[in-house]
Amino acid sequence: MNQPTPPAATTPILRLADVSKTFVGTNALQDISLEVHAGQVLCLLGDNGAGKSTLIKILSGFHAPTTGTMEVDGEPVVFKSPRDASDRGIATVHQFGGTFPLMSVGRSFWVGVEPSKGRGPLKWFDKKFAGEVAVREMRSLGITRVTDGNRLVGSLSGGERQTLAIARAVYFGAKVLILDEPTAALGVKEASHVLRIIMQARAKGIAVVFVTHNVLHAMMVGDHFAVLIHGRKADDFHKGERTREQITDLMAGGEAMAELEAELDKLQAGA
Amino acid sequence: MSAQLSEARPQAPSGAAPRPPSPLSIRGLVYRPEAGALIGTLGVFVFFAVFGGSKFLAAGGTASWLNVAAELGIIAIPVGLLMVAGELDLSVGSVLASSSMTLAIVSGHWGGPMILGIVLALAAGVVTGLLNGLLVTRTNVPSFVVTLATNFGMAGLTLGLSRVITGTTSVGIKPDPASKAVFGTLIGGQFEVAIFWWLAVAAVVAWVLQMTKYGNWVLAVGGDPVSARACGIPTERLKVVLYVASGFGAALVGVIQTCLYNGAQVANGQSFVFNSIIAVVVGGVLLTGGYGSVIGVILGTLTFAIVNQGIYYTGWNADWASFILGVLILAAVLMNNTFRRLALSARAGKKA
Ligand SMILES: Nc1ncnc2c1ncn2[C@@H]1O[C@H](COP(=O)(O)OP(=O)(O)OP(=O)(O)O)[C@@H](O)[C@H]1O
Ligand SMILES: [Mg+2]
């Protein structure tokens, strides 16, 4: 492919160039090129099975791309494991799970980076501190009903769990925060809370990759949008460059939506 | 660690925050995996104290269930840790048999130094654990199947090799006084020294599970292996280490039994396969992983041992012991489920 034009004012934190991913039998992704910038929200839109989760699994080190390259801060990188990605400041909240229902809030906040007390072989996991920090960080993101770090994660609501996962990523200094459909299972109030947290993270200079198929949610927080259809990038645009109808049509494959509207009109007329 | 403590903001005003319940309060106990197990242990103890009478409560009676609990406990604790991590180990029976046969053959049949036999016996457990761990993590075949296969494989290997080497299936040994004292004496003529090994294993594993980051890793891997890996936990290495620990525990009991009974038999140990799972599950560990505690496993082990031995003190036909155990397992698991649900619905700040 041709060389990218001279870099814009800022180098993107994350750049994908011509990334493809093939699973046995399916081309989940084909020739995806994307840039993610600090302090911006990139919305990845697409219908079920479009390849959104596959794309962020590549960004977060879960899958290696079949072809194509990835750069972090302008440096080429190859992630061998999720740990490599998190070492580079890329934190991911996956679509399903991401937190541990039967663990306490404090424990689950610190999985993999447990704080310790004491020294040498007698170092121990500082549970009290772990719980206090988890509760405090959730409160700073507006969750005030969780006051006890010993509470099991499974007793939190969906929005509270998303907040816990995001609080964790922000606390550990993520530069890129990837959220896979964080609002999909949430009610209106909880979803708007998560959207607010996304804006908070953006204000801190964190680059956010927000995966969703809710166009409304995307338009509320997005600076930049990419639409995936059957594993290909169908469109790529900035805030204000498309209307909601245009995006919805694009995601649904254009005619399908117009047809549906016509049908609905007919039904309404008949009623 | 990479925690950015410098970023920590000042503590938010805590005036409005209800105080979290103390772990020692009744409500705090509900959060704990061993809540149900404690009731079970106390229940069976009181039951047999009433129906077993003073003999059950005397030193001899206490020794009989403590001895059973000690041997089972040394195996059940590391098996429980594996189950918290979401994996099963059904190979402990054959590991016990192979380790005790190794010791009896090396130091008894061949007359080698006792210490050599003990080291090789423990190594047999470690190697089997390593094999289990590598097979489970590399092949992604469920650990139920993998360890069931190693249990059969090792049993056959132990039987075959014993016959080829010694011509029999049971080998005697005369442990030297030091080994006898460390592994196989009866303190006061009735309490197995294994009780101290059990306490030591329990203390170490409880520390690891509750107080170290590795314990947090075990809980995380059992709760959600994919997320745990995403958080940077070396899940495969962790599981291999846990299988090695489980093999070591079973091999240690093999050494203890061989020193205690002055000999080994190839058929030893198979009862531990299911008994360890019973102890662990009664102790409140979730069979699918992610939830459990060492205290719970200890209580589950005690419950099993008390029922197993207590029946002899009641004067009833001992044939009923298994029946009581079966009912008890169901009751314990139902109770544990209830407590887990309570823990999942416990809302801080809501009156209990
Ligand atoms: N591990 C895998 N092996 C084989 N095929 C896969 C794998 N993961 C994803 N796929 C396929 O790749 C395609 C894209 O899946 P992906 O999960 O990325 O979609 P998505 O856009 O996240 O959808 P949704 O909105 O439903 O979450 C699908 O056809 C899916 O079946
Ligand atoms: Mg998806």
Side-chain angles (χ1 to χ4, degrees):
Chain A
M1 292 294 280
N2 53 337
Q3 279 296 305
T5 40
T10 56
T11 10
I13 290 194
L14 204 61
R15 187 209 302 270
L16 290 189
D18 304 319
V19 163
S20 301
K21 177 72 188 176
T22 316
F23 293 112
V24 197
T26 31
N27 288 342
L29 290 175
Q30 278 182 295
D31 299 324
I32 305 287
S33 299
L34 272 182
E35 288 185 357
V36 182
H37 290 271
Q40 291 196 3
V41 178
L42 167 68
C43 295
L44 274 181
L45 294 156
D47 225 343
N48 292 118
K52 306 181 295 294
S53 295
T54 306
L55 182 58
I56 67 160
K57 278 182 183 154
I58 289 175
L59 297 179
S60 59
F62 253 96
H63 292 322
T66 313
T67 59
T69 56
M70 228 189 316
E71 285 174 18
V72 174
D73 290 327
E75 259 179 67
V77 291
V78 174
F79 294 150
K80 293 208 182 65
S81 74
R83 174 129 238 175
D84 291 348
S86 59
D87 285 348
R88 287 293 196 144
I90 300 173
T92 310
V93 180
H94 287 278
Q95 185 169 8
F96 305 107
T99 48
F100 308 92
L102 287 165
M103 275 173 104
S104 70
V105 166
R107 278 185 176 274
S108 131
F109 187 89
W110 291 88
V111 167
V113 280
E114 292 79 4
S116 57
K117 226 173 162 175
R119 64 170 80 101
L122 281 182
K123 260 207 276 215
W124 69 88
F125 175 40
D126 192 347
K127 265 185 283 184
K128 186 158 172 281
F129 176 76
E132 283 169 3
V133 171
V135 168
R136 189 185 68 215
E137 293 302 308
M138 283 182 80
R139 180 172 307 174
S140 81
L141 293 181
I143 296 290
T144 50
R145 272 181 310 166
V146 181
T147 53
D148 178 4
N150 285 322
R151 226 172 109 175
L152 296 187
V153 172
S155 74
L156 305 183
S157 75
E160 287 167 346
R161 275 193 233 189
Q162 285 289 344
T163 309
L164 176 64
I166 297 172
R168 175 191 150 94
V170 172
Y171 183 77
F172 291 111
K175 289 192 294 180
V176 181
L177 177 60
I178 303 175
L179 306 171
D180 195 356
E181 307 204 11
T183 57
L186 304 185
V188 180
K189 208 164 144 233
E190 295 225 306
S192 61
H193 185 83
V194 169
L195 294 177
R196 205 172 301 134
I197 294 174
I198 291 177
M199 293 311 273
Q200 263 176 280
R202 175 179 178 271
K204 284 187 176 144
I206 296 172
V208 181
V209 178
F210 174 30
V211 177
T212 181
H213 41 211
N214 187 318
V215 180
L216 204 61
H217 288 170
M219 293 191 76
M220 278 196 270
V221 296
D223 295 293
H224 193 166
F225 303 80
V227 181
L228 294 184
I229 295 179
H230 297 317
R232 289 179 183 277
K233 193 168 80 178
D235 200 359
D236 184 339
F237 51 91
H238 288 278
K239 190 181 181 131
E241 289 177 357
R242 300 281 186 283
T243 65
R244 188 179 157 198
E245 287 69 32
Q246 283 173 315
I247 304 175
T248 319
D249 280 0
L250 186 61
M251 278 173 67
E255 332 77 62
M257 217 56 190
E259 264 170 41
L260 180 65
E261 247 164 65
E263 246 171 78
L264 289 176
D265 280 346
K266 223 186 285 170
L267 282 174
Q268 236 153 13
Chain B
M1 299 266 86
S2 60
Q4 297 182 337
L5 302 185
S6 56
E7 250 194 24
R9 281 165 224 107
Q11 183 82 49
S14 57
R19 266 165 48 83
S22 147
L24 294 176
S25 71
I26 301 282
R27 221 154 67 69
L29 190 65
V30 171
Y31 282 121
R32 310 223 22 104
E34 61 269 8
L38 181 62
I39 296 175
T41 310
L42 292 176
V44 296
F45 183 81
V46 169
F47 181 86
F48 285 105
V50 170
F51 291 99
S54 57
K55 263 207 183 141
F56 173 76
L57 292 170
T62 308
S64 79
W65 54 264
L66 266 183
N67 290 343
V68 169
E71 287 186 11
L72 178 58
I74 294 170
I75 292 178
I77 288 170
V79 164
L81 205 57
L82 253 179
M83 275 168 68
V84 173
E87 303 291 353
L88 292 170
D89 188 354
L90 305 181
S91 72
V92 291
S94 294
V95 169
L96 194 159
S98 71
S99 107
S100 46
M101 284 311 287
T102 304
L103 173 55
I105 289 173
V106 172
S107 307
H109 186 72
W110 286 337
M114 204 53 200
I115 184 75
L116 179 69
I118 291 171
V119 168
L120 289 177
L122 295 176
V126 167
V127 168
T128 314
L130 195 64
L131 181 72
N132 280 332
L134 291 175
L135 282 173
V136 167
T137 54
R138 294 288 150 83
T139 63
N140 284 325
V141 173
S143 56
F144 181 92
V145 178
V146 168
T147 59
L148 191 64
T150 37
N151 195 48
F152 274 92
M154 286 292 287
L157 202 62
T158 308
L159 178 61
L161 285 177
S162 305
R163 262 226 239 275
V164 167
I165 295 170
T166 69
T168 70
T169 56
S170 100
V171 177
I173 185 174
K174 230 188 138 349
D176 61 36
S179 313
K180 189 82 183 167
V182 173
F183 295 106
T185 25
L186 291 173
I187 296 159
Q190 38 198 0
F191 291 92
E192 282 182 31
V193 71
I195 294 168
F196 292 100
W197 283 104
W198 179 36
L199 293 178
V201 168
V204 170
V205 177
W207 169 266
V208 169
L209 186 60
Q210 282 302 313
M211 303 301 287
T212 72
K213 64 176 180 182
Y214 305 109
N216 214 36
W217 294 6
V218 170
L219 288 165
V221 168
D224 181 351
V226 178
S227 300
R229 191 172 154 241
C231 291
I233 292 172
T235 55
E236 306 202 335
R237 217 174 332 141
L238 183 66
K239 282 187 179 171
V240 172
V241 169
L242 292 177
Y243 270 107
V244 168
S246 172
F248 183 85
L252 179 59
V253 175
V255 170
I256 286 170
Q257 288 194 343
T258 308
C259 290
L260 181 66
Y261 303 122
N262 304 320
Q265 293 184 4
V266 288
N268 275 357
Q270 293 302 336
S271 64
F272 284 90
V273 174
F274 283 114
N275 293 353
S276 62
I277 294 177
I278 294 171
V280 169
V281 170
V282 170
V285 174
L286 190 58
L287 192 61
T288 47
Y291 197 66
S293 71
V294 172
I295 310 261
V297 175
I298 292 174
L299 291 170
T301 308
L302 283 172
T303 305
F304 176 89
I306 290 171
V307 174
N308 187 275
Q309 294 298 305
I311 191 89
Y312 296 106
Y313 293 86
T314 57
W316 307 335
N317 190 331
D319 299 351
W320 295 95
S322 291
F323 175 74
I324 296 182
L325 213 55
V327 172
L328 197 80
I329 294 167
L330 269 183
V333 171
L334 289 175
M335 190 157 59
N336 288 334
N337 280 351
T338 308
F339 274 97
R340 199 167 50 246
R341 249 200 315 276
L342 272 178
L344 276 173
S345 64
R347 295 270 170 172
K350 202 199 249 176
K351 294 279 170 305

